[in-house]
Amino acid sequence: MRILMTGGTGFIGSLLCHHLGSKGARLVVLSRRPECVRDRCGLGVTAIRSFAQLDSSDTFDAVINLAGEPIIGPRWTDARKKILWDSRVTLTQSLVEYIGRARKKPKVLVSGSAVGYYGDRGDEVLDETSSPPSNGFGHRLCAAWEAAAQRAAEEGVRVCIVRTGLVLGPSGGLLARLLLPFRLGLGGRIGSGTQWMSWVHAQDYVALVAHLLDTPELSGVFNGTAPNPVTNREFTETLAGILRKPAILPMPAWLVRLALGREMSALLLGGQRVIPKRLVDAGFRFRFPVIEPALRDVLAHIPGLLPES
């Protein structure tokens, strides 16, 4: 299988590259820093800087679209919002334009999105049929990102959208940012701690993307989250318990808003109680459906982190 990928040098994308490469896939990765691709994605991966390096005679069996600047980072100024928009929506539009020019179309496009599509919904259980909010930058960004990808269906391409939650892995993501304060015994819940966190183990995320690539009857939107979301308080207490550290220093909501601004802080102070109904109904089996063994497995892969029994 020959695969074109965007976002291949990121935390999730690099894991996918190594997995798919180990299965014999031939990968071409679009990156603004092509010199980093081999180190991040594997020696056999071809790097390109722009779609202009591809012509209509290039053929791919599948396309995986995960590009996007980190959503948690600098404040969401107008300039930052444009960067986030261009790295997701505009790039996806360019990708679909390339697919439209290709003489032979890929069979499938798997494209990223996020559970932020649903907005802050309190305790409401959300599946792929749940209606979204009508406002909020996070929702608008995800909705436009998805709409851009869905245009590939007009070219006869099977399109799968993955609304991803918090991905737990040893080499990146939000968990990596949380580890230092927790290791120092300075961790704690964020805000009230009652907000829901929809998460997925990195191994399950890689497996579900591979499942979508290999299952021709599946298309449309899928929630890329484990079946058992947890509150921030439960996540915090579980992480601290595994590390055998206290979790008694909560981060007040006002401080989060001060540090991140009103809009971005909503990503941490709000939440979504998302379940992967369509994947479960399709027979996908999660290796890590529950938070405690998932976190324990991830932390076990970080040398010297877990206390000795």
Side-chain angles (χ1 to χ4, degrees):
M1 177 181 285
R2 193 161 188 252
I3 300 174
L4 173 63
M5 183 184 295
T6 73
T9 59
F11 161 48
I12 302 171
S14 61
L15 295 175
L16 266 170
C17 282
H18 285 284
H19 172 77
L20 295 170
S22 72
K23 300 298 183 183
R26 292 170 294 151
L27 294 158
V28 176
V29 171
L30 175 78
S31 174
R32 291 174 303 159
R33 297 182 296 165
E35 68 278 4
C36 299
V37 166
R38 295 184 106 193
D39 287 340
R40 295 285 293 166
C41 303
L43 295 178
V45 176
T46 300
I48 60 172
R49 189 182 296 273
S50 73
F51 294 119
Q53 293 176 249
L54 302 173
D55 61 39
S56 60
S57 63
D58 285 299
T59 60
F60 297 97
D61 301 292
V63 178
I64 301 173
N65 178 39
L66 301 178
E69 285 290 312
I71 202 77
I72 297 289
R75 278 176 173 263
W76 284 359
T77 61
D78 289 343
R80 181 62 183 173
K81 286 181 178 180
K82 186 177 188 307
I83 290 172
L84 296 173
W85 191 277
D86 287 345
S87 67
R88 289 168 171 78
V89 182
T90 306
L91 184 140
T92 301
Q93 291 169 340
S94 297
L95 172 61
V96 173
E97 288 171 4
Y98 162 71
I99 291 173
R101 296 192 301 271
R103 293 175 192 169
K104 183 178 178 181
K105 313 301 182 187
K107 296 177 182 177
V108 57
L109 165 63
V110 176
S111 191
S113 184
V115 295
Y117 174 90
Y118 298 107
D120 181 10
R121 305 292 280 273
D123 291 332
E124 181 182 357
V125 177
L126 304 166
D127 65 23
E128 292 86 353
T129 65
S130 299
S131 59
S134 60
N135 55 15
F137 176 71
H139 164 70
R140 294 196 304 274
L141 178 64
C142 291
W145 193 8
E146 294 182 14
Q150 291 284 16
R151 293 293 299 273
E154 299 173 9
E155 302 292 339
V157 177
R158 177 170 65 91
V159 178
C160 297
I161 305 291
V162 183
R163 292 177 182 157
T164 309
L166 168 63
V167 181
L168 303 179
S171 60
L174 181 61
L175 180 60
R177 299 186 182 204
L178 294 175
L179 281 180
L180 179 58
F182 274 85
R183 291 178 75 173
L184 297 174
L186 302 175
R189 58 178 169 78
I190 299 173
S192 69
T194 60
Q195 67 272 33
W196 286 91
M197 299 176 68
S198 296
W199 59 276
V200 63
H201 192 292
Q203 291 183 26
D204 279 329
Y205 183 86
V206 167
L208 72 86
V209 171
H211 184 72
L212 293 174
L213 288 175
D214 295 338
T215 312
E217 61 268 26
L218 297 181
S219 64
V221 173
F222 299 85
N223 288 331
T225 62
N228 297 288
V230 294
T231 63
N232 176 257
R233 183 187 298 275
E234 183 179 350
F235 181 91
T236 296
E237 292 176 350
T238 303
L239 177 58
I242 295 171
L243 295 173
R244 298 183 189 171
K245 297 291 185 178
I248 57 175
L249 293 175
M251 182 179 293
W254 66 266
L255 184 59
V256 178
R257 294 189 185 98
L258 181 65
L260 301 181
R262 179 181 58 83
E263 287 186 298
M264 196 197 308
S265 64
L267 297 178
L268 299 181
L269 298 174
Q272 302 83 26
R273 191 178 182 179
V274 176
I275 59 171
K277 184 177 185 301
R278 292 200 65 209
L279 281 169
V280 172
D281 288 350
F284 181 79
R285 298 284 298 273
F286 285 84
R287 183 178 176 186
F288 295 97
V290 180
I291 190 63
E292 195 275 340
L295 276 174
R296 190 173 294 278
D297 179 81
V298 169
L299 298 176
H301 285 84
I302 304 176
L305 181 61
L306 291 184
E308 295 183 5
S309 301

